[in-house]
Amino acid sequence: MCGIVAYTGHKACTRILLEGLKRLEYRGYDSAGMAMVQEGVLAVRRAAGRISALEQLIGEDPLEGVTGIAHTRWATHGAPTKKNAHPHLDDTGRIGLVHNGIIENYTALKTWLQSQGKSFRSETDSEVLVNLISHFYQGNLVDAVQKALGEVKGTYGIAVVSADHPNTIVAARKGSPLLLGVGENEYVVASDASAIVEHTTSAVYLDDGEMVEITPEGFRTLTLDNNLVSKELENIEFSLQQIELDGYEHFMLKEIFEQPVSVQNTLRGRVDLEAGQAILGGLQNVAGQLSKAKRIIITACGTAWHAGLVGEFLLEHLARIPTEVEYASEFRYRNPIIEPGTVVIAISQSGETADTLAALREAKQRGALALGIVNVVGSTIARETNAGVYLHCGPEIGVASTKAFSSQLVMLALLAIELGRQRSLDQQQARELLGHLSGIPGKIEKVLAQSDQIRQVAQLYLQREHWLFLGRGYNYPVALEGALKLKEISYSHAEGLPAAEMKHGPIALINEGMPTVFIATSGSQYEKVLSNIEEVRARGGKILAVATENNAQIHKHVDHVFTIPEIPEPLSPLLTVVPLQLLAYHTAVGRDCAVDKPRNLAKSVTVE
Ligand code: F6R
């Protein structure tokens, strides 16, 4: 949510900052801005809307310099206008700041600063922070930032420049990610590695409560109470190619099509077919505790929460461990019961989701073994868990999560098999499941081959404003996920439900021509799903079904069929979700929606 990029070095940095902002645009895209020290003063350009608006503005009114800060915004305090866009300057115009996060006590601070004579131009909490820094500034920028942050309640990732120190950037973090890319006499600060990787793959990840002072000559890392800390240089593990479109029209489509490879990458080195074992190295140091787990609580948000629901089926079915799935935002405020033997698993693509992070901290504080299933290496959730596993599915740029979901399912299946082997699953059963898991990439390819057919079907329903998605058992969470995908990128209203629940109310919605998507693959509940299909048909609804490929009979019951290859039921969500991702994608494109940057959304929700 919101993106920060800042540069100091020996190169003219306007283009570097603009390119960095474009890489971060998926994090927020309602306004953008840039500031640089030019001839002893801070020059600022800001624009409402996309980065392209800022680029145009800078084209007409250029900025030049070798040290600058830039920001792309997802509005929290104040409308997405030019006035509220970052960077914000203090009222002397000598200090500039970009900020991700929320200053919770900004109203009180603003009133106090006003009483001290400070004036404000915007409605943002960030402008309060830069004026607070200015209030404490007496020639030493690091000292002023430390004193200001000492007064602040809330979360922040910030980068600060000052006209008095033309080649210096001061950056700090608490609860909002920030890292420093280290090149040769040049440095890039960013909220996300994707803005850095073009310049260097060496990085220092700041931890909460840390700050860094950077000039082209070097940098020093400190705690907010001014103790020097020495930080390791870490390697950013992905390449530039992974964050480019590579010929696809949208990142979402690229990421849907990447799934055979991303699933393979999640599986790599983690399957011992011979022994019938999953190898989860990241959990090795807690293996003893895990083997004694009495209860598992999975906590997550959005798509990751849907993956967690599939995880509940897998862990209860294969490992016979009682499992619950909690919205992270609810878990943390619910006074949860954590007894000895409770394991809490946080699932998060970004590893930065504020609610999931807070739930994880709550669980840890109450004595749970806290594990993570995370994609972004070095992210806050990954760092704060007792142990965890990375998805290794590569950077996910499309705001709608797709390949991370399939990799989360793979990881949960591996975990359930591994825990199952210690309990109720015999070697042969584990071998079979692991064999099928290894065959998933090839089967996803077969589903992807139907993309064009799915596009044609999507065309028929572009004008429809209401959809239902229904499934049972393992595929009930997939119905929820299909509905979420459709609504977030095509803005059509969609509801996902366990198929039998339809009769308890939502069936009233069905009228002539209303599209209902059923996951009707072969398995324990197929006949029941067929009955639900008939109930919709009887009321004139249109039916799109995801079915198993050898099921010739399904065509008699439904209007459109997308098929998946045969697969054991516990692994079927890995295939059934793919046509639903494609359906959402083609519907959104057909409705002319901004697929990778849906309105009001941003990747990585770092505010509560
Ligand atoms: C939906 C989507 C969101 C995220 C949710 C959690 O397509 O992307 O629902 O799944 O915000 O994000 P992570 O997994 O980063 O914690």
Side-chain angles (χ1 to χ4, degrees):
M1 225 159 226
C2 302
I4 287 177
V5 58
Y7 176 92
T8 185
H10 49 88
K11 294 180 190 149
C13 66
T14 313
R15 186 72 8 226
I16 294 172
L17 293 177
L18 274 174
E19 292 306 320
L21 285 182
K22 285 183 194 164
R23 302 240 181 251
L24 297 177
E25 200 171 13
Y26 72 118
R27 299 237 158 205
Y29 32 81
D30 56 42
S31 51
M34 191 183 289
M36 249 171 232
V37 185
Q38 267 181 201
E39 293 162 7
V41 293
L42 269 177
V44 185
R45 305 286 180 271
R46 283 186 288 238
R50 300 284 159 91
I51 311 292
S52 50
L54 177 68
E55 192 169 18
Q56 194 183 337
L57 179 69
I58 289 176
E60 291 158 8
D61 190 4
L63 276 179
E64 271 169 38
V66 292
T67 301
I69 56 177
H71 190 264
T72 176
R73 179 167 185 250
W74 186 87
T76 56
H77 293 71
T81 57
K82 179 172 175 176
K83 185 178 66 165
N84 288 332
H86 299 216
H88 289 287
L89 303 189
D90 73 316
D91 69 347
T92 69
R94 303 288 294 168
I95 299 176
L97 161 135
V98 287
H99 167 224
N100 287 355
I102 290 182
I103 307 302
E104 288 164 7
N105 57 338
Y106 86 104
T107 316
L109 289 171
K110 189 169 183 173
T111 310
W112 181 74
L113 284 166
Q114 279 165 331
S115 75
Q116 302 295 306
K118 289 279 179 200
S119 58
F120 295 86
R121 301 175 197 97
S122 79
E123 303 149 65
T124 64
D125 52 342
S126 310
E127 194 189 6
V128 174
L129 179 53
V130 72
N131 274 296
L132 195 59
I133 294 170
S134 160
H135 170 82
F136 288 114
Y137 181 70
Q138 291 185 328
N140 182 333
L141 193 57
V142 168
D143 180 62
V145 169
Q146 285 171 338
K147 287 195 171 120
L149 293 178
E151 301 296 323
V152 151
K153 289 198 182 72
T155 56
Y156 48 81
I158 56 168
V160 184
V161 286
S162 152
D164 295 349
H165 308 272
N167 293 323
T168 301
I169 296 170
V170 174
R173 81 159 267 182
K174 185 180 155 215
S176 192
L178 216 52
L179 65 161
L180 171 67
V182 178
E184 283 205 7
N185 296 325
E186 60 173 358
Y187 299 91
V188 187
V189 177
S191 49
D192 180 325
S194 55
I196 289 178
V197 75
E198 197 167 345
H199 308 285
T200 174
T201 53
S202 290
V204 169
Y205 288 82
L206 289 189
D207 284 312
D208 275 353
E210 290 179 350
M211 64 188 300
V212 59
E213 182 187 27
I214 315 142
T215 68
E217 283 73 51
F219 68 94
R220 58 184 189 121
T221 40
L222 307 142
T223 60
L224 293 180
D225 41 15
N226 206 31
N227 294 312
L228 281 176
V229 270
S230 95
K231 304 284 292 182
E232 302 256 309
L233 267 188
E234 295 183 42
N235 194 37
I236 300 173
E237 285 190 353
F238 59 83
S239 66
L240 196 55
Q241 196 202 356
Q242 282 178 289
I243 52 171
E244 302 209 312
L245 275 168
D246 219 12
Y248 284 91
E249 207 181 326
H250 298 101
F251 280 108
M252 182 182 179
L253 189 64
K254 178 185 178 219
E255 286 156 11
I256 292 173
F257 271 82
E258 261 172 16
Q259 288 177 107
V261 175
S262 53
V263 159
Q264 190 67 59
N265 287 341
T266 305
L267 283 167
R268 181 158 296 119
R270 286 169 165 158
V271 173
D272 184 342
L273 259 188
E274 184 67 21
Q277 299 281 4
I279 305 154
L280 298 174
L283 301 181
Q284 211 92 68
N285 64 342
V286 294
Q289 272 171 286
L290 205 45
S291 67
K292 294 188 208 108
K294 292 203 182 90
R295 175 174 164 240
I296 293 177
I297 301 172
I298 295 175
T299 188
C301 305
T303 289
W305 182 78
H306 296 155
L309 289 179
V310 178
E312 177 179 16
F313 279 91
L314 287 162
L315 288 159
E316 293 203 335
H317 177 181
L318 303 178
R320 305 301 298 150
I321 304 176
T323 303
E324 295 144 57
V325 190
E326 293 264 11
Y327 284 116
S329 54
E330 292 294 321
F331 174 80
R332 54 178 303 206
Y333 292 114
R334 213 173 43 79
N335 193 7
I337 299 169
I338 306 282
E339 293 155 325
T342 303
V343 176
V344 173
I345 305 177
I347 306 179
S348 175
Q349 187 286 126
S350 62
E352 302 293 349
T353 300
D355 284 320
T356 312
L357 178 61
L360 176 84
R361 287 178 177 160
E362 180 71 28
K364 261 176 93 172
Q365 202 225 327
R366 286 171 185 260
L369 172 64
L371 307 180
I373 295 180
V374 172
N375 190 35
V376 176
V377 175
S379 55
T380 312
I381 293 176
R383 286 157 175 263
E384 292 205 10
T385 47
N386 298 119
V389 276
Y390 281 121
L391 299 178
H392 295 309
C393 68
E396 192 178 65
I397 308 284
V399 166
S401 187
T402 53
K403 65 175 180 173
F405 179 73
S406 45
S407 286
Q408 285 157 355
L409 298 186
V410 167
M411 194 54 83
L412 287 159
L414 290 171
L415 181 65
I417 292 169
E418 192 46 20
L419 296 181
R421 285 289 280 118
Q422 297 161 4
R423 293 166 167 86
S424 51
L425 203 66
D426 69 31
Q427 190 185 41
Q428 191 47 34
Q429 289 169 311
R431 275 186 183 149
E432 274 171 29
L433 281 169
L434 289 168
H436 282 292
L437 256 184
S438 307
I440 288 285
K443 292 185 176 178
I444 294 180
E445 297 275 11
K446 289 183 98 175
V447 184
L448 291 172
Q450 297 165 65
S451 178
D452 212 41
Q453 180 213 340
I454 295 171
R455 186 180 54 75
Q456 286 167 26
V457 172
Q459 296 294 324
L460 304 175
Y461 297 97
L462 293 180
Q463 309 310 324
R464 289 285 164 177
E465 293 301 335
H466 300 281
W467 293 68
L468 278 183
F469 285 73
L470 303 173
R472 280 173 176 255
Y474 274 102
N475 282 297
Y476 138 58
V478 178
L480 303 191
E481 176 61 5
L484 176 63
K485 284 292 89 87
L486 188 76
K487 70 185 132 190
E488 69 180 322
I489 60 166
S490 80
Y491 318 142
S492 317
H493 171 242
E495 214 177 316
L497 293 164
E501 274 299 301
M502 178 186 65
K503 289 194 291 293
H504 300 285
I507 197 165
L509 294 171
I510 292 167
N511 57 13
E512 199 64 34
M514 171 160 168
T516 299
V517 180
F518 275 94
I519 300 149
T521 44
S522 59
S524 54
Q525 305 207 44
Y526 173 69
E527 296 298 334
K528 300 245 182 272
V529 173
L530 217 48
S531 307
N532 299 137
I533 286 177
E534 289 307 330
E535 288 154 12
V536 173
R537 217 151 76 105
R539 288 159 181 85
K542 288 281 184 188
I543 296 161
L544 293 73
V546 179
T548 313
E549 64 190 2
N550 58 6
N551 182 354
Q553 170 230 24
I554 187 89
H555 294 266
K556 289 187 276 174
H557 301 274
V558 306
D559 298 280
H560 313 279
V561 183
F562 313 128
T563 60
I564 64 156
E566 280 286 356
I567 187 83
E569 212 172 340
L571 305 183
S572 62
L574 274 159
L575 302 181
T576 52
V577 75
V578 178
L580 306 193
Q581 294 168 340
L582 286 167
L583 181 67
Y585 173 79
H586 290 303
T587 305
V589 171
R591 287 167 66 97
D592 235 357
C593 298
V595 173
D596 284 333
K597 299 184 185 78
R599 71 178 175 214
N600 307 337
L601 285 173
K603 195 85 179 158
S604 183
V605 184
T606 52
V607 293
E608 288 175 33

